[in-house]
Amino acid sequence: MRIGMALKYSGGFKESVEELSDYEKAGLDIVFVAEAYSFDAVSQMGYIAARTERLEIASGILPIYSRTPALLAMTAAGLDYISDGRFTLGLGASGPQVIEGFHGVPYTAPLARTREVIEICRKVWRRERLEHDGRHYTLPLPPGQGTGLGKPLKLINHPVRARIPIVVAAIGPKNVELTAELAEGWEPIFYYPEKAADVWGPSLVAGKDRRDPELGELDVIAQASLAIGDDVAGLLEFGRPMAALYIGGMGAKGKNFYNDLARRYGYEKEAEQIQDLYLEGQKDAAAALVPAELLENMSLIGSEGFVRDRVRALKDSGVTTLNVTPLGRTHEERVRLIETIKEIAE
């Protein structure tokens, strides 16, 4: 099992990268850099590539709407080149609040667009002359939709790899099915190992049935906060505001993927109440209703024995990359947590 962590994407970025060399020495395998509506992730990943030697670098995630498919492919090839083949392209649809609110792009057909983006990226990396006749992307642009002067071009440079790994952030049934079919990796959020098979099992099976064997086994990337000790249970409370934000505030009624996931986990009543309170502006009250059971079983917060049991449950459910958030009070404590979880996960 690989050990990864997400880099903070707001404030103190250079300081965070300075600390990465210590995490790298401690055994960290991969770092994920988010792109919400803060600084862009690409410039930050380039900086990380220059400051690290072994660490894999992944976008976590680049939205499919904010760049053209060809630019996503060019960006991935460039990052893979400057990192000597250490880059993973993490893709996701994000959500309408960010895509329409911050980028001003219609949030339409996320599944079909993801499929076409993946297909186009792989054509670019193989240095094929880029031609694509899809429902959402047509390359070159045909007469009548532009000047008519577009030509099928191929990437000038030779990529380090003809197939850069693609990870898709997905939680909806159809999106997970598409991911299992087409991508090298799958990154769900709020991963509850004992419930994963019931929620996502049919989608994973359906997607894998159509999967190209050349893609290899699907890398399953689960996220969890990490703290080890006999006096750390209180740290679970730090997860409440974020869980409430996603379950309650990341979307409108009937248009919140994370609320849907909580319901599929069996928390229908709580999900509805959290959303109602959050949308009314009662954020603290919403956070108080996040089930303790959900927080505990999505985390790695507890005694060493508890953490070992949770890692075993994650492995048994199919997780192959564990993306942790170490909750030590100091940098030195967080480095020790990476060393410990690396040993536990071996």
Side-chain angles (χ1 to χ4, degrees), residues 276-300:
D276 287 342
L277 288 168
Y278 205 96
L279 295 178
E280 291 169 3
Q282 300 184 56
K283 297 179 181 180
D284 291 341
L289 291 181
V290 176
E293 177 191 57
L294 180 63
L295 291 172
E296 182 177 24
N297 286 293
M298 295 189 307
S299 83
L300 294 171

Side-chain angles (χ1 to χ4, degrees), residues 262-318:
R263 293 171 184 269
R264 290 161 65 201
Y265 276 160
Y267 301 107
E268 294 91 347
K269 179 180 178 182
E270 294 90 340
E272 183 171 0
Q273 292 174 332
I274 290 167
Q275 187 175 52
D276 287 342
L277 288 168
Y278 205 96
L279 295 178
E280 291 169 3
Q282 300 184 56
K283 297 179 181 180
D284 291 341
L289 291 181
V290 176
E293 177 191 57
L294 180 63
L295 291 172
E296 182 177 24
N297 286 293
M298 295 189 307
S299 83
L300 294 171
I301 296 176
S303 67
E304 183 171 329
F306 171 83
V307 171
R308 287 186 181 274
D309 287 344
R310 297 311 298 156
V311 169
R312 191 174 302 112
L314 288 161
K315 284 185 176 180
D316 289 346
S317 73

Side-chain angles (χ1 to χ4, degrees), residues 93-146:
S94 186
Q97 288 179 314
V98 174
I99 299 307
E100 296 187 354
F102 196 70
H103 294 289
V105 176
Y107 189 85
T108 57
L111 269 69
R113 289 182 184 275
T114 299
R115 179 179 292 276
E116 291 189 43
V117 165
I118 292 172
E119 182 178 341
I120 291 168
C121 281
R122 289 179 174 152
K123 285 182 179 180
V124 171
W125 299 332
R126 292 192 300 264
R127 299 190 72 242
E128 298 176 7
R129 293 200 177 276
L130 189 52
E131 296 181 273
H132 180 84
D133 186 14
R135 183 173 180 181
H136 303 285
Y137 303 101
T138 303
L139 303 168
L141 201 62
Q145 294 186 31

Side-chain angles (χ1 to χ4, degrees), residues 166-188:
I166 293 174
V167 167
V168 177
I171 55 176
K174 291 297 183 182
N175 206 358
V176 171
E177 182 177 333
L178 178 145
T179 301
E181 176 190 353
L182 295 179
E184 279 84 0
W186 167 48
E187 186 177 10

Side-chain angles (χ1 to χ4, degrees), residues 30-59:
I30 184 169
V31 62
F32 293 82
V33 182
E35 185 175 86
Y37 40 97
S38 182
F39 295 138
D40 79 289
V42 175
S43 58
Q44 298 180 66
M45 290 186 288
Y47 185 75
I48 291 171
R51 302 299 299 270
T52 56
E53 298 176 0
R54 176 191 58 81
L55 196 63
E56 296 180 53
I57 304 162
S59 53

